[in-house]
Amino acid sequence: MSHLAAALFDVHAGQGPRQFAELAIALLLSSLIGLEREARQKSAGLRTHTLVGVGSALFMEVSIHGFGSLLGTDGVALDPSRVAAQVVSGIGFIGGGLIFVRKDAVRGLTTAATIWLTCAIGMACGGGLPLLAIGATAVHFLIVRGFSKVSERITGGPSFDRIELRLTYRAQHGLLGRILELCTGSGFRVSDVQVAAHPDDALVAADVLLRLEGDGSAHPLVAALTELEGVRGVALGRQDDSTE
């Protein structure tokens, strides 16, 4: 058994540095994509994209180099494309889990497509095509960063920011109206309001979820809401775009 292990190690030893280099490139490229998604506060961020990219590259390495010792065995035919095909099919489960529907709006499509592209980039790295993987990564940034600006210029419409605000406040006359007025005065349109009261609370508190969209600045709005008398807490989040 030890002689067999030594022989297998000798067969793959020369390819080791190249394989590690390909995994490192997959790690770098998928991390760049993940950081971009993380910065935009999407549902799949740095860790998910990095794991997808490195995992896909590793599957390709195993598919190409992992079964070399079986070549020449009677009745054995090596087809590296079979593992690659299963990777493409399997990534659909992750992408499908990122897509959901909320009030007739489909969300998560762009993030799911980015996961799919990251998988392809990792496979290209593992398949010995690093230049193609680098080019695909550059295309990703061109699409997600550049196309939105081009679309804005063509359509003439602004790029709206969609945010969610979760507030806890002490219920008192007119406070919710002042909150909504402050939001609209900060450059946002209120698209949805959900209020849940807590009558058992000693302070008669209420929770409100506000979904806003507009070109205003979110952080000054949060600061202004926090200073309102009766507001006990404000949490800021961002919604996924209808196609992201």
Side-chain angles (χ1 to χ4, degrees), residues 17-207:
R18 175 179 176 179
Q19 294 167 358
F20 280 117
E22 290 171 348
L23 286 178
I25 296 174
L27 172 65
L28 174 62
L29 298 181
S30 57
S31 296
L32 290 176
I33 296 176
L35 284 172
E36 185 273 332
R37 295 279 94 184
E38 190 91 17
R40 301 186 67 178
Q41 299 183 9
K42 300 304 177 181
S43 53
L46 175 61
R47 291 179 296 179
T48 301
H49 285 81
T50 303
L51 289 173
V52 167
V54 174
S56 301
L58 181 57
F59 273 120
M60 286 297 295
E61 296 287 356
V62 173
S63 178
I64 296 172
H65 307 291
F67 306 102
S69 59
L70 298 178
L71 289 177
T73 304
D74 293 338
V76 175
L78 181 61
D79 182 10
S81 65
R82 294 183 63 183
V83 175
Q86 295 303 316
V87 173
V88 174
S89 300
I91 198 63
F93 288 97
I94 299 178
L98 296 170
I99 302 173
F100 60 96
V101 179
R102 178 191 295 167
K103 292 187 177 181
D104 298 329
V106 180
R107 304 185 185 278
L109 285 175
T110 300
T111 301
T114 303
I115 287 287
W116 184 55
L117 176 62
T118 304
C119 174
I121 290 172
M123 292 176 65
C125 293
L129 302 170
L131 293 180
L132 182 62
I134 294 173
T137 304
V139 170
H140 160 77
F141 284 100
L142 173 64
I143 293 173
V144 299
R145 291 294 185 179
F147 278 24
S148 59
K149 297 180 180 179
V150 172
S151 176
E152 180 180 337
R153 290 185 178 181
I154 292 176
T155 60
S159 178
F160 290 112
D161 196 12
R162 295 177 173 86
I163 64 174
E164 289 183 348
L165 290 177
R166 298 180 183 272
L167 299 92
T168 302
Y169 64 95
R170 187 171 65 252
Q172 53 183 277
H173 180 71
L175 181 56
L176 181 57
R178 293 202 301 273
I179 291 174
L180 296 177
E181 183 180 356
L182 190 57
C183 292
T184 55
S186 299
F188 290 97
R189 182 179 69 86
V190 181
S191 60
D192 189 20
V193 179
Q194 299 179 18
V195 180
H198 301 286
D200 296 334
D201 195 308
L203 297 177
V204 193
D207 294 330

